[in-house]
Amino acid sequence: LWGGGTAPEWRGKGIYRALVAYRAAIAAERGYRYLQVDATDDSRPILERLGFTRLSTTTPYVYGA
């Protein structure tokens, strides 16, 4: 699941959780057994409550300077 977030004024109302749960349900209906999420540390508790397990960590880099 790439992309997704909540505007600051809407945080804490369960919108991100509902968005992820909805997208996961669609994926399950389409036969997907596994999902991958690239998310910030802020999203980790929400994702874990939905049943996701952290398998690895990525490190973003910016090219240039």
Side-chain angles (χ1 to χ4, degrees), residues 39-56:
T40 65
D41 288 338
D42 294 336
S43 299
R44 184 178 303 132
I46 298 166
L47 294 167
E48 288 175 347
R49 283 193 297 274
L50 287 170
F52 286 87
T53 302
R54 182 171 63 161
L55 299 177
S56 67

Side-chain angles (χ1 to χ4, degrees), residues 14-61:
I15 294 171
Y16 178 74
R17 183 190 185 291
L19 173 67
V20 172
Y22 179 73
R23 292 170 75 188
I26 291 171
E29 288 173 8
R30 294 179 180 178
Y32 290 93
R33 185 172 173 189
Y34 300 102
L35 298 177
Q36 176 181 345
V37 179
D38 188 12
T40 65
D41 288 338
D42 294 336
S43 299
R44 184 178 303 132
I46 298 166
L47 294 167
E48 288 175 347
R49 283 193 297 274
L50 287 170
F52 286 87
T53 302
R54 182 171 63 161
L55 299 177
S56 67
T57 302
T58 60
T59 303
Y61 289 93

